[in-house]
Amino acid sequence: MKKTKLFFWLLILGGMALVVFQNEGYFLETQQVLRVHLRVFPEYQSPNLPLVAFHLLFFIFGLIVAYLFSALDRWRRRKAISRLTTETAAQRKEMETLRAELARLKGEPPADPPSGSGETSVTSPVAPS
């Protein structure tokens, strides 16, 4: 997946470089001024810059916005995963207590906890292996 993503980005950046190279006169020699007037703030006017500077600026701005939206989604997923993990642990613990209670009611010896659970008996001097 990482190689596919890298190939995809290289393809996009290569295409952009090709367009700029083939239209060098338009992108590098054409000077443009960016003017912003929002009525609340005083008017801002940028210095004369080549068009390629504006294209790169807005491309990078788009990348940052896309990253922030995906970061928000990743944060929500991580939060859901941690919540579900704690729920699963609580349910497993409840299942073990119910199994122990059922074994006690049936008169069977209590089952050993599954290996790898990390739990040890309080009365046993030897930890299960």
Side-chain angles (χ1 to χ4, degrees):
M1 182 67 178
K2 288 185 179 184
K3 289 183 181 181
T4 306
K5 194 184 285 188
L6 177 65
F7 175 74
F8 178 69
W9 280 109
L10 287 176
L11 192 65
I12 288 176
L13 293 175
M16 289 175 54
L18 181 67
V19 168
V20 170
F21 180 73
Q22 288 181 349
N23 298 297
E24 188 176 340
Y26 173 73
F27 282 106
L28 297 177
E29 294 171 10
T30 305
Q31 299 285 319
Q32 190 68 31
V33 173
L34 182 66
R35 189 177 138 243
V36 179
H37 184 65
L38 298 175
R39 305 234 189 268
V40 178
F41 300 107
E43 180 179 347
Y44 172 75
Q45 193 168 4
S46 72
N48 264 351
L49 295 173
L51 283 180
V52 73
F54 290 114
H55 286 276
L56 285 175
L57 175 75
F58 287 111
F59 178 74
I60 291 170
F61 178 73
L63 286 177
I64 291 171
V65 169
Y67 176 77
L68 291 177
F69 276 112
S70 69
L72 179 65
D73 190 42
R74 283 181 295 184
W75 179 74
R76 287 180 182 157
R77 287 181 184 166
R78 190 176 298 136
K79 188 176 174 183
I81 287 172
S82 66
R83 181 182 52 83
L84 292 173
T85 302
T86 56
E87 280 183 24
T88 302
Q91 289 173 353
R92 285 180 192 231
K93 187 175 181 180
E94 183 180 2
M95 281 180 16
E96 289 300 320
T97 58
L98 290 174
R99 283 187 182 135
E101 184 180 349
L102 182 63
R104 185 183 55 81
L105 291 175
K106 285 184 176 179
E108 299 173 356
D112 291 333
S115 64
S117 67
E119 298 177 5
T120 61
S121 173
V122 175
T123 58
S124 174
V126 178
S129 55

